[in-house]
Amino acid sequence: MPSTIPGPPKPGRRLLAVSDLHISMADNVPIMESLRPVTDEDWLIVAGDVAEEIADVERALKLLASRFAKVIWAPGNHELWTPPADPVPLRGQERYQHLVELCRRLGVVTPEDPYPVWEGEGGPVAVAPLFTLYDYTFRTPTAATKRESLEQAHAVGVVCTDEYLLHPDPYPAADDWCRARVAATEARLAAHDPSVPLVLINHWPLVREPTDVLTYPEFAQWCGTVLTRDWHRRFNTAAVVYGHLHIPRTTWYDGVRFEEVSIGYPREWRRRGHPKGLLRQILPYQQ
């Protein structure tokens, strides 16, 4: 799909980002409700894991869309879960498509929409929400196959809830869905006008390096795919925004800025605080 044709930069507005709001946890609800723009023209990136149940996802995105000039959403694994108590029992691709349609009713941009062009200071840039999933290729050094990697995770008791609640229907497995998503997303990025830089948004990190600091390395297999490891080099990328790891920080790979923008669980943010603030400013970039 073509992107909107960019115009001249406009001062004042900000491109902000957050992820992993997890508002099914009561202590995270006030955090979500406190998020507000700095200017009336600010945009907000929401990089997945808003909540598990559809009604909670809608409640949060509806509130944020009423406050920010534009909201851009990329799905996380928690939105793709099918919790037993959710009145909306959709699974896999049908659940994802339902979320896309929900976002469109709210005016929220999804990975299925044209990339909007942000024209503030540091722009113009095309803001590109992605959905790539994971394929178990972020394995431990001693695991040669997906099967070995999963066996190691089960042996140490570090198994992502995705294995029980994220259903890849109609694909046979999550890694099959991942490969399909990567192929479709890669084609869109290749068709994008390279003269307009991209802000790439994905719930899962596009490169493996951010997972090197995980306490449990076995968890990395649910954190991405090696198929995206060169996207920030192949495509004209101004910045990459992601979440999932609950380790908010700024890192650089091959001269490209990567921003992990998650809030995380209450037990995590109570311990570490919010060292980067609740909302991360992606553009204009501030060191």
Side-chain angles (χ1 to χ4, degrees):
M1 298 179 185
S3 302
T4 307
I5 298 174
K10 297 180 181 179
R13 61 173 59 178
R14 292 163 172 80
L15 179 61
L16 305 168
V18 72
S19 76
D20 296 79
L21 288 166
H22 292 292
I23 67 164
S24 59
M25 297 185 171
D27 287 348
N28 277 24
V29 173
I31 291 177
M32 181 272 292
E33 293 177 340
S34 75
L35 302 180
R36 293 183 178 276
V38 180
T39 78
D40 291 340
E41 293 188 319
D42 288 354
W43 288 17
L44 179 65
I45 293 164
V46 181
D49 279 7
V50 174
E52 292 77 38
E53 295 193 5
I54 297 290
D56 287 335
V57 176
E58 181 174 14
R59 173 164 61 105
L61 292 180
K62 183 177 182 179
L63 175 65
L64 296 174
S66 73
R67 293 178 174 177
F68 290 83
K70 191 179 293 293
V71 173
I72 301 100
W73 168 82
N77 53 313
H78 282 240
E79 284 103 330
L80 299 173
W81 288 359
T82 306
D86 193 342
V88 183
L90 296 173
R91 295 162 56 116
Q93 177 64 29
E94 285 189 348
R95 189 173 186 85
Y96 171 60
Q97 191 58 45
H98 181 82
L99 288 162
V100 168
E101 292 167 0
L102 181 158
C103 285
R104 286 173 170 170
R105 290 196 300 271
L106 298 175
V108 172
V109 179
T110 79
E112 306 310 310
D113 299 316
Y115 304 149
V117 175
W118 185 82
E119 298 176 343
E121 182 182 346
V125 296
V127 184
L130 314 178
F131 169 34
T132 62
L133 267 173
Y134 52 85
D135 62 0
Y136 305 93
T137 52
F138 287 3
R139 294 191 282 267
T140 64
T142 57
T145 65
K146 171 185 171 181
R147 179 177 178 179
E148 287 182 11
S149 187
L150 286 170
E151 287 176 348
Q152 289 181 4
H154 280 275
V156 298
V158 178
V159 180
C160 185
T161 305
D162 291 9
E163 294 298 304
Y164 310 102
L165 295 181
L166 196 158
H167 306 287
D169 312 19
Y171 296 92
D175 37 334
D176 298 295
W177 194 6
C178 171
R179 285 187 286 271
R181 289 299 316 179
V182 166
T185 305
E186 192 170 27
R188 283 198 64 189
L189 292 173
H192 174 72
D193 180 356
S195 70
V196 182
L198 291 153
V199 172
L200 299 178
I201 305 153
N202 198 44
H203 180 65
W204 298 269
L206 296 180
V207 296
R208 177 168 184 157
E209 286 85 349
T211 70
D212 290 344
V213 298
L214 290 174
T215 303
Y216 301 101
E218 295 83 5
F219 189 76
Q221 63 194 297
W222 290 282
C223 295
T225 169
V226 298
L227 296 174
T228 62
R229 61 190 167 193
D230 66 345
W231 284 8
H232 65 291
R233 299 194 307 270
R234 286 177 53 201
F235 307 113
N236 182 7
T237 302
V240 177
V241 177
Y242 68 100
H244 191 57
L245 303 184
H246 296 190
I247 307 172
R249 59 179 180 153
T250 303
T251 52
W252 296 78
Y253 305 106
D254 305 301
V256 177
R257 176 168 50 105
F258 281 63
E259 299 280 7
E260 208 280 15
V261 298
S262 58
I263 298 297
Y265 302 137
R267 68 175 185 271
E268 295 166 328
W269 56 254
R270 285 198 183 100
R271 182 180 65 249
R272 58 166 159 77
H274 302 289
K276 294 283 187 174
L278 296 178
L279 293 178
R280 190 79 53 83
Q281 184 166 311
I282 307 304
L283 290 172
Y285 174 52
Q286 295 180 326
Q287 295 188 7

